[in-house]
Structure formats: structure tokens, C-alpha cells
């Protein structure tokens, strides 16, 4: 298994307008869904700067934040304290989660789980299964094989599904696992798959990358 490597958030400036400081559109649906299901214990897995931790914390959830990057956890904590919110914080690796079995009702793992290779993703998925309670739900995204990164023949290949990303920036040389629909069915065979959709994001103002494709999954532990 490739060594885990998080984002280098130190080179990402604080910017209130950035996507990493504003909850994703999907998270508002999930907030509504999980509140109506009386879910309480929430894990922001690979929390980044904490945009989903803050949203769920402000709405009464008991929030745990985990990221492999210490900078990410420090910045999430600073933001939460400004908002007068108290969370549980852990610097840790998604392939070996520092939580007991059956700890969480709900997990968001947005743009995180693809940051490993094929062996690592299997381990991360088994960890999500372990820490979710029965009937607990997880929303996660996976980079798609339709996206530009997978097609970069000159980027180092780690295994048949994984390449190192070679663009300068916070995820330079971070492994990226790319999935397709059949692979997803295999990887999540132990879960009930509630929904899968593939989203294309367009970045009209970027020079190098103009679009990216991700699968979004909502899964439930049986
Ligand atoms: C694209 S950012 C997304 C952050 C956040 N989920 C969000 O949607 O704003 C990916 C995050 O995953 C973290 N990460 C990467 N590999 C990880 C691992 N093995 N274990 C835990 N976190 C990891 C990175 O450090 C980074 O903060």
C-alpha cells in the first residue's frame, strides 16, 4: 500500500470565498436528511478546513473532525472556536481510524477517499464500515476514470487505478485512485448503495484544468 499523504494546506491562504470554506451543495441535503433521521454523531472524514464540520456543528450535531494534515485540524479548530463550537479533533489516517467500532451515525468524506491506491481504498472503506453504526450513512466522492488526471499517461502510475498527481499545489504528488461504475459496485458490496451519481465540475477560469468528473455515493451500513 502506498504511504498516505495529505494536502499541504500551509500553501493555501485563508479565503472566505474559496470552495473549501463554503459547504458543498450536497451537504445541505444531507443535513436535512440526517436531522430528520435523528442522527447525532457526525464524522467529517478528511475535514480539510472544516466547512462541513462547522455546518453540522451549528445545526446541533456532535462533530468529530479527522484529517491526516495537522494544519487542517489546527485551522478547523481555530474556525470552530471563532464560532463558539466544540468538536473532537484527531490527526489521523483514513486507513486506520482512531475510533471504536459503531461510533458514528453519519459520515461525510468529500474529496478525500481517492487520495490513496487500490489497496488503501479497500482499507479506508472497511474502516468506514467499522466505525459506522448499523443503518449509519456515509456520503463520499470518488475521482472518476473519465476525469483528466487518469488520462495523463506521463504521470506516475502506482497501480492500474492509481496515479500520482503532478500539478504544483497542495496535492502535488498525492496519490489519486480513479473509479468506474463496476469497480464501485465491487468496492461497496458490503453496503446498501442508496444513490450513485457522476458529477462534472467545470472550471472556466482555470488555465490547466477545465473540468473534472467525480462519483458521489450515498451508502448505508447494513
Ligand atoms: C480536497 S480536501 C477536502 C477537504 C474536505 N473534505 C472538504 O470537502 O472541504 C482533501 C482532504 O483529505 C485529507 N486526506 C488526504 N489523505 C488522507 C488520509 N489518508 N487520511 C485522512 N485525511 C486525508 C487531506 O489532508 C485534505 O485535507
Amino acid at each position: 500500500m502506498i504511504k498516505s499523504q495529505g494536502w499541504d494546506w500551509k500553501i493555501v491562504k485563508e479565503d472566505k470565498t474559496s470552495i473549501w470554506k463554503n459547504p458543498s451543495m450536497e451537504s445541505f441535503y444531507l443535513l436535512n436528511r440526517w436531522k430528520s433521521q435523528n442522527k447525532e454523531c457526525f464524522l467529517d472524514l478528511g475535514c480539510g478546513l472544516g466547512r462541513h464540520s462547522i455546518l453540522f456543528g451549528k445545526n446541533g450535531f456532535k462533530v468529530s473532525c479527522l484529517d491526516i494534515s495537522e494544519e487542517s485540524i489546527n485551522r478547523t479548530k481555530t474556525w470552530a472556536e471563532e464560532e463558539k463550537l466544540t468538536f473532537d479533533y484527531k490527526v489521523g489516517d483514513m486507513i486506520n481510524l482512531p475510533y471504536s467500532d459503531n461510533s458514528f451515525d453519519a459520515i461525510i468524506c468529500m474529496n478525500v477517499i481517492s487520495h490513496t491506491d487500490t489497496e488503501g481504498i479497500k482499507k479506508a472503506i472497511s474502516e468506514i464500515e467499522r466505525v459506522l453504526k448499523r443503518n449509519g450513512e456515509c456520503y463520499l466522492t470518488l475521482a472518476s476514470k473519465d476525469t483528466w488526471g487518469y488520462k495523463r499517461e506521463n504521470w506516475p502510475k502506482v497501480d492500474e487505478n492509481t496515479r500520482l498527481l503532478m500539478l504544483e499545489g497542495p496535492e502535488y504528488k498525492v496519490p489519486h485512485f480513479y473509479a468506474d461504475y463496476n469497480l464501485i459496485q465491487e468496492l461497496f458490496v458490503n453496503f446498501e448503495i442508496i444513490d450513485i451519481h457522476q458529477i462534472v465540475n467545470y472550471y472556466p477560469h482555470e488555465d490547466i484544468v477545465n473540468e473534472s468528473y467525480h462519483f458521489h455515493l450515498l451508502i448505508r451500513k447494513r
Side-chain angles (χ1 to χ4, degrees):
M1 191 185 320
I2 195 160
K3 189 174 180 302
S4 297
Q5 187 191 327
W7 271 39
D8 181 5
W9 283 109
K10 286 201 172 120
I11 65 170
V12 179
K13 290 203 187 89
E14 230 14 59
D15 171 5
K16 286 200 167 109
T17 65
S18 106
I19 62 162
W20 306 118
K21 294 289 281 186
N22 291 280
S24 60
M25 285 191 273
E26 298 82 3
S27 61
F28 294 98
Y29 164 75
L30 295 166
L31 179 64
N32 194 32
R33 175 185 178 91
W34 289 339
K35 268 181 97 139
S36 70
Q37 293 174 351
N38 295 318
K39 298 209 181 306
E40 192 185 9
C41 296
F42 168 81
L43 172 62
D44 192 356
L45 178 48
C47 62
L49 300 184
R51 58 184 178 147
H52 298 121
S53 300
I54 300 290
L55 176 70
F56 280 77
K58 277 184 175 171
N59 283 279
F61 283 75
K62 198 173 151 219
V63 174
S64 296
C65 316
L66 178 133
D67 204 287
I68 200 168
S69 151
E70 198 172 349
E71 173 80 6
S72 137
I73 291 297
N74 289 342
R75 281 165 71 169
T76 299
K77 189 162 185 248
T78 302
W79 187 6
E81 285 171 356
E82 285 165 10
E83 302 280 353
K84 310 257 180 298
L85 294 167
T86 307
F87 300 154
D88 174 67
Y89 302 99
K90 296 235 173 359
V91 176
D93 194 331
M94 64 183 175
I95 62 169
N96 188 15
L97 292 175
Y99 305 109
S100 319
D101 300 357
N102 311 311
S103 294
F104 298 103
D105 300 301
I107 300 176
I108 281 187
C109 186
M110 194 86 74
N111 297 325
V112 177
I113 203 171
S114 288
H115 293 141
T116 183
D117 59 10
T118 305
E119 200 183 336
I121 208 148
K122 288 181 182 163
K123 186 76 177 67
I125 293 166
S126 74
E127 283 293 86
I128 289 174
E129 187 183 357
R130 182 181 68 73
V131 302
L132 267 180
K133 296 179 189 173
R134 190 159 173 263
N135 290 324
E137 293 185 356
C138 174
Y139 190 88
L140 58 94
T141 64
L142 285 163
S144 163
K145 284 189 174 172
D146 286 336
T147 210
W148 53 277
Y150 185 65
K151 295 173 183 157
R152 295 283 169 108
E153 296 292 335
N154 54 342
W155 286 6
K157 209 168 182 181
V158 176
D159 63 39
E160 59 174 322
N161 306 309
T162 313
R163 283 189 192 281
L164 297 186
L165 188 134
M166 300 304 285
L167 284 185
E168 292 295 332
E171 48 184 341
Y172 181 63
K173 288 197 175 167
V174 171
H176 279 63
F177 169 91
Y178 298 92
D180 58 28
Y181 181 66
N182 289 337
L183 196 44
I184 287 173
Q185 305 265 19
E186 277 172 38
L187 289 170
F188 293 92
V189 69
N190 287 347
F191 290 86
E192 180 188 344
I193 298 179
I194 300 167
D195 185 64
I196 304 180
H197 50 279
Q198 189 172 196
I199 291 184
V200 194
N201 294 103
Y202 294 100
Y203 310 106
H205 307 299
E206 298 279 333
D207 295 337
I208 306 170
V209 178
N210 300 116
E211 61 189 47
S212 70
Y213 292 69
H214 285 85
F215 287 101
H216 287 230
L217 275 74
L218 179 60
I219 56 176
R220 184 187 291 134
K221 179 168 166 175
R222 293 180 205 277

